[in-house]
Each structure stands twice: as structure tokens, then as C-alpha cells.
């Protein structure tokens, strides 16, 4: 790869265009592909509805797609029925024969009103310089194409109809305005084989623009002891074909002890990617330290227009790389372009569409008018009105996020947060500097959903609490963070009531460290994980085992009074009453029997604080269902936690204004290349 001078946020201007501009003429325009219609990269039936709405199956793929299409045509049409129309049956299915090709049998209709293949016109209307989009299709056989649009209200409108009847491939184009999409909406088309079989060889949404030269990206993957996941992602990227035309480098920041390079399939991935792939090893600095390293290396190399951050535990739809880069290239100004999150375990579910911050609570919430965990197989795009309304976000999580190098140079690298809130803080910081974030439909990864992780009770609780407070200190518009401190205190009390003493202790440590000020962030990113492991080792509730038989039998000395089961509080008043009664129970000592036999077995789905506060001890399963911990009531520890929690929250409230100024003043230094370079040096692995 050769280095080239790049204007930040835009692709390099070709010499011919530069001469034309200097001569006072308008730069030459060309056609730029914005969004290609694609089929699933793998034969995964669970994801089909994300690509094609209608009956579709995976056909026989071949290197020669034209031959594959001809073979299917001959089999479906027959020699004597070539021009005869026949009604479709419920067994008729379109056959996917390539990454961009599908065969539609006679009498069958399929639609590309789907998550990956409809064109998100509302987002291009709002954020790009494009004013008109061109649908370009290449079809053979006999077909009718019906072109549709939707409004921001979810209303559907048919725009145009095309009929094609040709044995040879025919290319058709239709120019469509973006003006009506100010509130949102999509374009898409249906294809109907209304005589004999039709083959869609390719389709793409394009635009006439003077910005024809694409920007390029450095992909950065931060990984910790997930070599199999990481190597599989590298293998998928190697197979992404022309998507790699916009990729300069793939940086893997390996922070684990189970090294990516030691995985048996790494050598093949390395050979396939060649000089594009680079492995960087450093001590574990968490996601923020790994991604800060990617940002740093991207800026230092001076090669790429963007850096694209990817989690190590995701499956990527590679087309999202092209779509993100193209969207950023044609944006009205430099901006962050993020991808959506699909459920890794339930592949048709759109888990997160967009996110914002609830300012008064200072907590992440779904973007306005959006939903979570939406199953697109059961409720497709066509029948889901809220998906047609444009969703504006304040940040995008770093499971997939494209950041212009220009933005990094202006606002700095990630804060040294280790994990949690680093991506949120960066989005808020970028927004404050005039760089918005877009979560772009059609760019997405499959990622482990939140309900399969114990992020609120394990060691991550420390970083969630500390980084939430630090971020609020810098950006909250409310005095003393609005309701955040009160909510934080209540959460700590709930953990204590639920016998989750290790979690409550982690939250108190987070408060203490937030009070230390910004000077503690960089030094602690190298050492904090060791401290957290040592702290958790002192708590019974943090010790998990994989086999229930490793614990004593579940047994109660006395049965529940009158055989009554525990019922959830019906309203806020009942919830407060439950909390007060739970606190009152803490004045009673715990007998010896609950210390030798757990009183209940509580599945993870039921582990609410109001249920756990009814027991003296209980076995509680983990979110992923692999382990169990023994919670045991300890009144002395409970009251110690409550006293300290009250005092620490009061102190932060009292010191809020000066502490806020300290963090804000320190922000440029904390995120600078120079300070991060020193941290990277400390994290250097010894050979």
C-alpha cells in the first residue's frame, strides 16, 4: 500500500477534477453506487427474511452465475411451456443463486422491502448531499418490476411499473427524488415473474455525484481471549470480495493471553488478507484502550479516511462496510456512521435500532419512536410503521462504528474508560463539536444480546457506574446530574437487598474512584482489572460453579407462611413497602441453617431484588445459564454498604460543580495522542 494525502472527511480529489475546478468549471460528475441489493453471504435460513420478503430458498450456486441461471431457467420453464403463464402455487420459491442474483419462477412474486435491501431514503435525504437516487436493475426472462416508497408514517405508495421480456440481460434505470423523505421512508421494488421465469442478475441504488472516488477505511478489531470468533471474522472479511476495495488495513489489537495468532485457522486468514492484516499485541486496556489504539494507529499511518471499529464477538454483514463508507463520503459534513445490532442467537431479530441518552436519568434508552428486539421474520419492514420513521441518535455503540479521521484529529481518541460508556461519551463529545452520528439501516452486525450477559452484576458493574458518573459530570445539563445520583443510590440499595454484595461493593469503589478526579483514569486503566478480581474473590456471591450438585441441597427450615408464594409489588407504593420490609429484615440475625442449605433455587429470569430479599440464602443462575452462585444474607455487610453508599452519593452531589470542571478541563489531555502514547507504552508486552 502506498501513502497518499487525503483531505479529512472526503476522498482524495483526482488530478483531472482538480484541474477542472481550478479552471473555474464544475467538476465532472459520475454515477456512484450507494446501496447494492445483496443476498445472504452464507446459507443461513434464519436470515432470509432480512434480505427477501416472500418465498425464497438457497439454490445451486456456481462460479458461473449466468450458467446457474440458465440451468434453473431451463428446468423451471421447460421446452414446451416457454411462453405460457401458469398460476403460482404455495410451493413455488425464488432461488438464490449468487450473492446478488435470484431466480423467480413463473407466477411467483418476491419483494425487496427488507432490512438489508430496501433503500433507507429518509437517512440519505436528511444527512447526505444526494438529491435523487437511481435504481439500476439487470433482469432477464419475463418480469414486472413494481417500485414502491413509504412515508415517515409508514404509509406505502406504488411509484412506477416496468415490464421486461428478454432472453438476454436487460438493464433498466429509474430516477427517483429524495425530496418527499424529510421525515423518513424507504424505496424498494418487487419482482413478479408474470409470464415465464425471471432472473434478477443485479440491482443497485445509485446517485449522480462529483464525489466518485471512495474514501477508505482502517478496520479495527479489539479482542480479548476470543481467538475463534476473531479468526472467523477475519476469514469472513477475506471472503468479502470487492468490499475490501475500500479497506486499507485490518488492525487486530490482541489484549488476551489466548492469542489470535495461535489459533489453527489464523494462518489461512492471514494468507488470504495478506499485507492488509496487522496484529498489535498489548496488555489488556479494555475496549476503550483497544479502540483508542486503533484510532491512534489510523491517524499515525495517514493512509485512511476513516477508522471502522468492530467488536470481536460479532458476525458482520460485509456489505455494511461499503454502505457506511459511501454514506460518510457523501454526507453533508464529517459524521460518525454506525451499524445496527442484530441478535446473534436469534438471527432475524433486530435487537437495537438506535439509542439516545435520557438526560434527567442519565441512562441509555432506545431512540425516540423505536423498539427493541423486533423480529423482522414475524413483523417485516412493510408491516412495521415505526421502522419507516427516521430515527435520530446521539451515539452508536462500537460493535460497528465508522469514524472519520478528521473527527479523531479534532476531538481526540477514546476516554480511558476500559469498557462501558466509552462509545456513548465519544458520540456526545463528537456531537458537541458539531459531528453528528447516524445509525444507518442496512449496515449491521449480529451480536450477543444484553439479556445473555451479566453486565449489571459482575465486574463490569464497576465500569458502568464509574463511567456513567464521569460522563454525567462532563455532559449532564442538570444540576448534580438530575435524578442520576438518587437512582444510583437506589440501585446500590437494591443490590444490597438482593444479597449481591460484591456488585454493591464494586459500585462504591466506582464512586470513590470518580471522586479521585480525571488524574486517576489513565493510570488505573492498566491496573484496575487486577484490583476488581481481588475484590470479588472476597465475596461468596461472586463465586460461581457450573454444577448445581456442587452446592448443598435446597432446603428451608420452615415452609413459607400459609404456603404463600412471593408475588411482585403491584405498584410504586408496594415496591417502596417491599424495600422497607427488606431493610427491616436486616436487623434480624441469620441462623446457621441458611448457611448450610440454600433456601431457594432462583433462575436468572426471576432474580429480582424484591424476590431475593425474601430469602436468607439462594442459588442464582447466570444470564447465560452456565453457572450458579450462592447468595447469602449478611446483615452486618448490608448496613455497612448502606452507610457508605449514602455518604459517597452525598459527597459527589456536594462536590459536583468543581468535580465537573476538573473533568471537563482535563478532557483534551486525557484523549490526546500524547497521553495515550504513554499508556500504550506502559501496556507494551514484553517478548
Amino acid at each position: 500500500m502506498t501513502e497518499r494525502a487525503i483531505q479529512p472527511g472526503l476522498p482524495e480529489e483526482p488530478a483531472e477534477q482538480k484541474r477542472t475546478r481550478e479552471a473555474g468549471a464544475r467538476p465532472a460528475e459520475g454515477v456512484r453506487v450507494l446501496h447494492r441489493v445483496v443476498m445472504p453471504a452464507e446459507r443461513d435460513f434464519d436470515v432470509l427474511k432480512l434480505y427477501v420478503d416472500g418465498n425464497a430458498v438457497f439454490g445451486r450456486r456456481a462460479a458461473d452465475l449466468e450458467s446457474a441461471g440458465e440451468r434453473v431457467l431451463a428446468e423451471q420453464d421447460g421446452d414446451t411451456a416457454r411462453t405460457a403463464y401458469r398460476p403460482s402455487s404455495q410451493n413455488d420459491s425464488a432461488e438464490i443463486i449468487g450473492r446478488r442474483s435470484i431466480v423467480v419462477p413463473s407466477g411467483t412474486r418476491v419483494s425487496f422491502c427488507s432490512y438489508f435491501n430496501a433503500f433507507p431514503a429518509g437517512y440519505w435525504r436528511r444527512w447526505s448531499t444526494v438529491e435523487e437516487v437511481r435504481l439500476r436493475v439487470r433482469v432477464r426472462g419475463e418480469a414486472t418490476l413494481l417500485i414502491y416508497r413509504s412515508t415517515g408514517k409508514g404509509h406505502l405508495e406504488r411509484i412506477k411499473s416496468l415490464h421486461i421480456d428478454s432472453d438476454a440481460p436487460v438493464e433498466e434505470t429509474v430516477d427517483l427524488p429524495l425530496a418527499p423523505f424529510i421525515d423518513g421512508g424507504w424505496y424498494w421494488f418487487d419482482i413478479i415473474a408474470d409470464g415465464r421465469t425471471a432472473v434478477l442478475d443485479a440491482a443497485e441504488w445509485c446517485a449522480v455525484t462529483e464525489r466518485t472516488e471512495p474514501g477508505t477505511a482502517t478496520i479495527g478489531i479489539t479482542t480479548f481471549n476470543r481467538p475463534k470468533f476473531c479468526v472467523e471474522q477475519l476469514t469472513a472479511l477475506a471472503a468479502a470480495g470487492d468490499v475490501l476495495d475500500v479497506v486499507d488495513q485490518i488492525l487486530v489489537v490482541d489484549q488476551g493471553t489466548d492469542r489470535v495468532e495461535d489459533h489453527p485457522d489464523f494462518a489461512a486468514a492471514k494468507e488470504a488478507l495478506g499485507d492488509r492484516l496487522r496484529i498489535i499485541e498489548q496488555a489488556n486496556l479494555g475496549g476503550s484502550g483497544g479502540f483508542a489504539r486503533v484510532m491512534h494507529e489510523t491517524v499515525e499511518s495517514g493512509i485512511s479516511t476513516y477508522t471502522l471499529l468492530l467488536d470481536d464477538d460479532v458476525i458482520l454483514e460485509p456489505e455494511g462496510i461499503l454502505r457506511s463508507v459511501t454514506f460518510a463520503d457523501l454526507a453533508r459534513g464529517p459524521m460518525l456512521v454506525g451499524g445496527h445490532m442484530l441478535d446473534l442467537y436469534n438471527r432475524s431479530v433486530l435487537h437495537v435500532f438506535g439509542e439516545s441518552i435520557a438526560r434527567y436519568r442519565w441512562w441509555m434508552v432506545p431512540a425516540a419512536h423505536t423498539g427493541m428486539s423486533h423480529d423482522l421474520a414475524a413483523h417485516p419492514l412493510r408491516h412495521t410503521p415505526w421502522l419507516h420513521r427516521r430515527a435520530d441518535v446521539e451515539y452508536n455503540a462500537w460493535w460497528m462504528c465508522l469514524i472519520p479521521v478528521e473527527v479523531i484529529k479534532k476531538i481526540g481518541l477514546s476516554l480511558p474508560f476500559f469498557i462501558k460508556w466509552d462509545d456513548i461519551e465519544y458520540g456526545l463529545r463528537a456531537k458537541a463539536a458539531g459531528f453528528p452520528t447516524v445509525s444507518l439501516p442496512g449496515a449491521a452486525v449480529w451480536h450477543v444480546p444484553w439479556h445473555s450477559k451479566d453486565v449489571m452484576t459482575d465486574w463490569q458493574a464497576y465500569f458502568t457506574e464509574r463511567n456513567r458518573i464521569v460522563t454525567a459530570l462532563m455532559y449532564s445539563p442538570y444540576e448534580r446530574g438530575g435524578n442520576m445520583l438518587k437512582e444510583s443510590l437506589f440501585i446500590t440499595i437494591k443490590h444490597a437487598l438482593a444479597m449481591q454484595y460484591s456488585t454493591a461493593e464494586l459500585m462504591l469503589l466506582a464512586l470513590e474512584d470518580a471522586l479521585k478526579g480525571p488524574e486517576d483514569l489513565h493510570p488505573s486503566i492498566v491496573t484496575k482489572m487486577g484490583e476488581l478480581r481481588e475484590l470479588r474473590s472476597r465475596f461468596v456471591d461472586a463465586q460461581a460453579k457450573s454444577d448445581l450438585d456442587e452446592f448443598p441441597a435446597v432446603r428451608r427450615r420452615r415452609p413459607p407462611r400459609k404456603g404463600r408464594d412471593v408475588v411482585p409489588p403491584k405498584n410504586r407504593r408496594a415496591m417502596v413497602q417491599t424495600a422497607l420490609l427488606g431493610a427491616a429484615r436486616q436487623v434480624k440475625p441469620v441462623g446457621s441453617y441458611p448457611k448450610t442449605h440454600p433456601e431457594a433455587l432462583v433462575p436468572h429470569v426471576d432474580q429480582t431484588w424484591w424476590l431475593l430479599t425474601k430469602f436468607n440464602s439462594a442459588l442464582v443462575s447466570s444470564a447465560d445459564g452456565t453457572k450458579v452462585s450462592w447468595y447469602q444474607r449478611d446483615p452486618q455487610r448490608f448496613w455497612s454498604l448502606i452507610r457508605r453508599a449514602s455518604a459517597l452519593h452525598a459527597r459527589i452531589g456536594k462536590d459536583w460543580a468543581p468535580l465537573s470542571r476538573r473533568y471537563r478541563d482535563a478532557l483534551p489531555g486525557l484523549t490526546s495522542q500524547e497521553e495515550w502514547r504513554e499508556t500504550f507504552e506502559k501496556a507494551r508486552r514484553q517478548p
Side-chain angles (χ1 to χ4, degrees), residues 169 238 251 334 362 455 458 464 628:
L251 303 181
W362 204 252
V455 295
D458 66 6
T464 299
V628 176

Side-chain angles (χ1 to χ4, degrees), residues 306-318:
Y306 312 101
T307 185
L308 176 62
L309 307 182
L310 288 176
D311 264 348
D312 63 341
D313 59 345
V314 301
I315 296 175
L316 171 71
E317 166 49 75

Side-chain angles (χ1 to χ4, degrees), residues 99-383:
R99 178 65 162 147
R100 303 186 63 198
S101 303
I102 189 168
V103 176
V104 184
S106 175
T108 301
R109 174 175 183 160
V110 294
S111 174
F112 295 102
C113 182
S114 62
Y115 174 79
F116 279 120
N117 282 325
F119 180 73
Y123 294 81
W124 283 90
R125 166 69 166 84
R126 171 65 182 88
W127 298 109
S128 80
T129 57
V130 176
E131 297 180 354
E132 187 175 74
V133 65
R134 174 175 296 170
L135 173 61
R136 184 166 65 192
V137 297
R138 190 165 66 252
V139 181
R140 51 200 161 106
E142 186 174 0
T144 295
L145 265 67
L146 301 178
I147 302 170
Y148 293 87
R149 60 156 286 203
S150 64
T151 70
K153 299 175 183 178
H155 298 157
L156 313 184
E157 302 174 5
R158 198 175 94 179
I159 302 299
K160 194 174 181 63
S161 174
L162 300 174
H163 186 76
I164 294 131
D165 188 357
S166 172
D167 291 336
V170 173
E171 183 173 292
E172 294 278 358
T173 62
V174 179
D175 290 327
L176 302 163
L178 290 182
F181 294 92
I182 198 165
D183 291 329
W186 306 63
Y187 275 125
W188 68 90
F189 67 93
D190 292 5
I191 182 168
I192 306 163
D194 56 346
R196 49 196 173 87
T197 298
V199 178
L200 176 68
D201 285 324
E204 50 210 11
W205 302 89
C206 313
V208 175
T209 177
E210 60 193 47
R211 300 187 192 180
T212 55
E213 184 70 19
T216 58
T218 289
I219 295 177
I221 303 169
T222 296
T223 187
F224 178 79
N225 289 349
R226 284 183 176 133
K228 182 177 184 295
F229 241 127
C230 192
V231 170
E232 287 175 350
Q233 190 171 157
L234 294 176
T235 302
L237 285 169
D242 56 3
V243 168
L244 292 181
D245 291 346
V246 298
V247 177
D248 293 315
Q249 300 180 84
I250 300 172
L251 303 181
V252 176
V253 181
D254 191 346
Q255 303 184 132
T257 53
D258 192 357
R259 299 169 68 247
V260 171
E261 290 180 284
D262 293 337
H263 191 275
D265 297 331
F266 174 77
K270 169 66 177 172
E271 182 179 1
L273 289 169
D275 293 340
R276 277 193 176 94
L277 178 61
R278 179 182 165 205
I279 305 294
I280 300 172
E281 292 192 349
Q282 66 182 25
N284 187 16
L285 302 180
S288 72
F291 287 133
R293 183 67 181 269
V294 170
M295 295 178 184
H296 169 75
E297 297 289 337
T298 305
V299 172
E300 290 287 290
S301 70
I303 298 172
S304 299
T305 325
Y306 312 101
T307 185
L308 176 62
L309 307 182
L310 288 176
D311 264 348
D312 63 341
D313 59 345
V314 301
I315 296 175
L316 171 71
E317 166 49 75
E319 199 70 12
I321 298 173
L322 271 179
R323 293 174 181 180
S324 299
V325 168
T326 304
F327 192 87
D329 282 348
L330 300 179
R332 298 184 181 187
M335 69 186 318
L336 284 64
V337 182
H340 293 156
M341 174 180 161
L342 297 158
D343 189 334
L344 183 64
Y345 300 142
N346 195 358
R347 299 288 181 90
S348 63
V349 171
L350 179 57
H351 191 61
V352 177
F353 191 76
E355 293 183 293
S356 294
I357 291 294
R359 286 297 200 270
Y360 194 61
R361 292 183 58 215
W362 204 252
W363 192 251
M364 67 285 287
V365 293
H369 311 293
T370 69
M372 291 188 67
S373 297
H374 180 81
D375 190 347
L376 287 162
H379 307 283
L381 174 62
R382 184 189 303 269
H383 302 301

Side-chain angles (χ1 to χ4, degrees), residues 50-105:
L50 299 177
Y51 294 84
V52 181
D53 186 9
N55 290 336
V57 296
F58 292 102
R60 292 145 294 176
R61 296 193 182 195
D64 183 354
L65 293 179
E66 184 173 349
S67 297
E70 290 296 339
R71 185 168 64 249
V72 177
L73 276 168
E75 292 175 3
Q76 292 184 344
D77 288 336
D79 293 332
T80 60
R82 187 159 181 76
T83 61
Y85 173 81
R86 63 174 180 81
S88 64
S89 74
Q90 63 180 12
N91 296 321
D92 283 334
S93 297
E95 290 190 31
I96 295 170
I97 59 170
R99 178 65 162 147
R100 303 186 63 198
S101 303
I102 189 168
V103 176
V104 184

Side-chain angles (χ1 to χ4, degrees), residues 479-637:
E479 185 179 2
R480 293 186 293 279
N483 204 48
M484 189 206 67
L485 288 177
K486 182 170 72 173
E487 185 175 287
S488 172
L489 177 59
F490 287 169
I491 292 172
T492 309
I493 294 172
K494 283 160 60 176
H495 284 306
L497 285 168
M499 301 178 287
Q500 295 165 338
Y501 301 125
S502 64
T503 305
E505 192 69 48
L506 288 172
M507 294 183 70
L508 297 191
L509 179 61
L511 293 167
E512 292 170 352
D513 287 352
L515 283 164
K516 291 179 181 177
E519 298 79 13
D520 184 59
L521 290 177
H522 266 285
S524 70
I525 197 173
V526 182
T527 61
K528 188 55 65 176
M529 270 305 300
E531 296 176 31
L532 300 184
R533 280 193 294 268
E534 195 280 327
L535 184 151
R536 280 170 54 81
S537 69
R538 306 197 300 264
F539 289 85
V540 175
D541 63 277
Q543 312 310 310
K545 298 179 181 180
S546 59
D547 191 345
L548 277 170
D549 290 336
E550 295 185 53
F551 298 96
V554 174
R555 194 176 300 159
R556 296 186 69 162
R557 191 164 188 175
R558 291 194 183 100
R561 187 180 179 186
K562 297 183 180 180
R564 293 173 181 166
D565 292 329
V566 179
V567 294
K570 295 181 179 180
N571 49 46
R572 186 178 182 86
R573 180 179 178 182
M575 190 169 290
V576 172
Q577 185 178 27
T578 301
L580 292 174
L581 289 173
R585 289 187 76 238
Q586 305 303 319
V587 302
K588 299 179 181 179
V590 180
S592 60
Y593 201 77
K595 296 178 182 178
T596 56
H597 291 277
E599 293 181 335
L601 177 61
V602 180
H604 187 270
V605 69
D606 294 332
Q607 64 143 341
T608 56
W609 66 270
W610 49 261
L611 173 66
L612 291 170
T613 195
K614 303 294 184 180
F615 301 111
N616 290 307
S617 68
L619 298 179
V620 183
S621 57
S622 60
D624 61 4
T626 62
K627 295 180 180 180
V628 176
S629 297
W630 190 358
Y631 291 6
Q632 300 179 27
R633 187 164 71 86
D634 185 338
Q636 184 176 354
R637 189 179 294 276

